[in-house]
Amino acid sequence: MFCTHKIFAILTIFLMAFLLQPTVTRAEDVIMSLAPSTGTFRVDDEVDFQVTVTSGNETVRAVEGTISYNPKELAIVNVFTQNSVLSSWTQKPYVDRELGLIEFGGTLSTSTKLSGSTIFTIRARGERAGNTALIIQRGTVLNISEEGIASNALTGTKSGEKYVILPEELVDTSPPTPLAV
């Protein structure tokens, strides 16, 4: 019986020490996102979406990821890399229009803190009326520590999960009917 109380006391001390440990939190999250994250547009309208990264206090050396979409709802017209914070591409944005995937990857010339920095821009066109989304399926934001250790600093993603595509406006092209006098 004495042994049972001793074991219980030791387990309680270890449990309390574990539970009362200070937790380490980051000052800011490292987020890959799509902007705008919501919106409404019409069938055949072309809309630009920016893929961005905010790294808080973390420095970033490389970024890569995969974005998915429904190719029956959205057509990717083009991707633009001119305003990218990346200095070179390991995988220029590649659009698989059949599977509805956009894959990309690249590096920065130096480790840099990013604040809503553009990775690339997607120009899409609404194909049919309804709800659709652009989803960041996979993402990596590479950080290299002072010790030279590489790690994925990404803590979350903010996909474009709610886009509404409205039907084309019906335009009456028939000539006006004359008024009866």
Side-chain angles (χ1 to χ4, degrees):
M1 193 137 104
F2 175 73
C3 189
T4 310
H5 289 289
K6 197 173 188 182
I7 291 172
F8 180 73
I10 291 171
L11 286 175
T12 302
I13 291 170
F14 279 116
L15 181 61
M16 293 302 286
F18 176 75
L19 291 175
L20 296 176
Q21 266 185 335
T23 56
V24 177
T25 58
R26 293 179 180 212
E28 293 183 52
D29 289 334
V30 178
I31 304 291
M32 183 182 296
S33 59
L34 278 153
S37 59
T38 63
T40 301
F41 52 98
R42 295 195 176 281
V43 170
D44 289 333
D45 282 356
E46 292 185 2
V47 180
D48 288 350
F49 303 92
Q50 280 72 41
V51 179
T52 65
V53 170
T54 297
S55 65
N57 292 324
E58 298 288 333
T59 57
V60 175
R61 189 68 174 97
V63 176
E64 67 176 17
T66 302
I67 297 170
S68 66
Y69 66 96
N70 184 336
K72 293 178 181 172
E73 297 167 348
L74 286 175
I76 304 305
V77 177
N78 207 344
V79 291
F80 303 100
T81 59
Q82 294 89 333
N83 296 323
S84 178
V85 68
L86 301 179
S87 58
S88 66
W89 293 92
T90 55
Q91 169 67 64
K92 274 204 158 204
Y94 170 76
V95 179
D96 185 324
R97 288 174 173 83
E98 208 170 292
L99 295 176
L101 295 174
I102 305 169
E103 296 178 330
F104 61 94
T107 61
L108 288 86
S109 56
T110 61
S111 291
T112 306
K113 292 179 183 179
L114 303 178
S115 178
S117 301
T118 299
I119 305 304
F120 67 101
T121 300
I122 301 166
R123 178 163 293 157
R125 180 180 60 241
E127 290 291 289
R128 69 177 184 199
N131 295 328
T132 193
L134 287 164
I135 305 294
I136 300 171
Q137 292 290 330
R138 181 186 62 79
T140 301
V141 176
L142 186 68
N143 167 273
I144 301 177
S145 70
E146 292 177 8
E147 297 80 28
I149 299 169
S151 64
N152 185 3
L154 187 67
T155 58
T157 60
K158 292 182 181 173
S159 296
E161 296 185 15
K162 177 108 185 201
Y163 302 115
V164 178
I165 304 173
L166 300 173
E168 292 180 270
E169 286 186 288
L170 298 176
V171 178
D172 185 5
T173 57
S174 61
T177 307
L179 295 174
V181 186

